[in-house]
Amino acid sequence: MKKRKIKSSRADIAFDVIKWSFLLLFVILVIFPVMNVISLAFSKGQYNSKISFFPVWEGLTTDNFSWLFKNDNFLSAIKNSLLFTIVATVGSNVLMAMAAYPLSKEDCPFRGVVMIFFIITMLFSAGIVPAFIWLRVLNLYNSIWSLIFLSLNNVFNMLLYKTNFEGIPAEIEEAAMMDGASSVTLFFRIVIPMTLPIIASCVFFMIVSTWNSYGSAIIFISDTKQMPLAQFLYRLVASTEQSKDPYLITNRQNVNAATIVVSVIPILCVYPFIMNYMKSGLTIGSVKG
């Protein structure tokens, strides 16, 4: 039997046309700037006036990327960003998950008071001066470890973990405890494997925020050997007009574009692997009953 198609009304057709038109416009607005940056990254400076969204073939080159990878500060920035992203992501998620687990239990002592303290730190900041003094006392100022230390507390992720842990049936944990599982075994071998989607979501949020972070780095890091990649890009864009490097003077926009392309690649590589987990992880705990 042939499936009967539901005939769309004129209003439905008009809505679909408007919907797809806006979607196409949005795609164009997103893709064209990206194509322009990629075109600049693979072109020479003297051809920039001819570039729209595709590189000029007579000026096609990879010299901008060669200049970057020969720059010691750029290589140091990549290493610092990798260290910052990996350590902060792992450390923050472990700490926030361990903080969220007891808070997800109704019999946790002083649960409400502790939650208030967490929420206060999320809504209000003590300011830059106390953080500066704190990092000075800990001897972390002007080091990539200062950014790692400041990034460990992420209350938003902790709330996501807490909501997810509350959705785990109590019977599963009770059965594991009856079989002799300790609290540590219960958490790492029972609870964590059941929460992989929310872990993937929180990990991705941390990777994006730490890899692209430059605000705190500008304040707390001045050593060129300690700055992350985002700060290196910020300084490169801000200082190339005063640079004495002849190649940089001629190809300033192109080197900036090449740096942007390189900085985006790690995020693009990570996203596909955890996208499926993120889809389910963001909706876990949203419906009760």
Side-chain angles (χ1 to χ4, degrees):
M1 295 178 61
K2 292 184 178 180
K3 293 184 179 179
R4 298 180 62 182
K5 295 183 179 179
I6 299 176
K7 188 177 181 179
S8 300
S9 65
R10 292 183 178 180
D12 292 334
I13 295 174
F15 176 75
D16 288 339
V17 171
I18 295 173
K19 176 180 65 177
W20 287 107
S21 298
F22 273 103
L23 178 61
L24 179 61
L25 177 62
F26 177 76
V27 171
I28 292 173
L29 291 176
V30 171
I31 289 180
F32 277 9
V34 174
M35 291 299 299
N36 183 256
V37 171
I38 295 175
S39 300
L40 287 171
F42 286 96
S43 300
K44 294 182 180 180
Q46 59 265 36
Y47 298 103
N48 286 355
S49 59
K50 300 180 181 180
I51 294 174
S52 54
F53 308 112
F54 299 98
V56 181
W57 290 108
E58 61 264 28
L60 195 63
T61 181
T62 58
D63 290 346
N64 303 312
F65 296 95
S66 299
W67 184 92
L68 276 177
F69 285 100
K70 290 178 182 178
N71 189 309
D72 293 337
N73 291 336
F74 175 74
L75 297 177
S76 297
I78 290 181
K79 294 177 183 178
N80 292 332
S81 283
L82 288 174
L83 177 65
F84 176 28
T85 301
I86 294 173
V87 176
T89 298
V90 174
S92 176
N93 280 279
V94 170
L95 290 176
M96 293 300 100
M98 294 179 69
Y101 184 65
L103 291 175
S104 66
K105 308 302 179 184
E106 294 183 356
D107 58 350
C108 176
F110 308 107
R111 178 188 182 193
V113 177
V114 175
M115 282 299 303
I116 290 175
F117 277 107
F118 270 109
I119 298 299
I120 289 176
T121 62
M122 183 175 68
L123 299 178
F124 304 100
S125 172
I128 297 174
V129 175
F132 177 83
I133 296 174
W134 194 22
L135 293 175
R136 280 285 192 184
V137 172
L138 296 174
N139 198 27
L140 295 176
Y141 179 73
N142 206 19
S143 168
I144 193 65
W145 288 97
S146 63
L147 305 184
I148 295 173
F149 193 70
L150 294 174
S151 301
L152 293 178
N153 181 36
N154 191 319
V155 180
F156 177 76
N157 284 356
M158 190 275 291
L159 294 177
L160 292 179
Y161 280 120
K162 175 178 174 292
T163 303
N164 184 72
F165 292 154
E166 289 173 345
I168 298 177
E171 292 79 5
I172 296 177
E173 299 182 31
E174 291 174 359
M177 294 180 68
M178 290 179 63
D179 289 337
S182 63
S183 299
V184 176
T185 302
L186 176 64
F187 180 72
F188 285 103
R189 301 191 64 178
I190 305 296
V191 175
I192 291 300
M194 294 180 64
T195 57
L196 288 179
I198 199 66
I199 291 174
S201 301
C202 293
V203 165
F204 184 75
F205 293 153
M206 279 297 298
I207 289 175
V208 173
S209 62
T210 52
W211 184 263
N212 295 324
S213 176
Y214 72 94
S216 299
I218 293 174
I219 298 172
F220 299 114
I221 296 180
S222 58
D223 187 356
T224 56
K225 296 298 183 181
Q226 293 292 321
M227 66 175 64
L229 184 59
Q231 187 184 6
F232 172 85
L233 175 59
Y234 173 82
R235 288 198 175 189
L236 184 66
V237 173
S239 64
T240 46
E241 293 183 356
Q242 293 79 32
S243 176
K244 297 180 180 179
D245 189 325
Y247 183 85
L248 201 56
I249 293 173
T250 307
N251 304 277
R252 178 172 61 87
Q253 290 181 318
N254 308 84
V255 173
N256 293 343
T259 310
I260 294 173
V261 170
V262 173
S263 65
V264 169
I265 289 176
I267 302 298
L268 295 179
C269 292
V270 170
Y271 181 73
F273 292 101
I274 61 177
M275 180 175 61
N276 292 332
Y277 286 110
M278 288 182 62
K279 289 180 180 178
S280 57
L282 293 178
T283 57
I284 290 178
S286 59
V287 179
K288 297 292 184 182

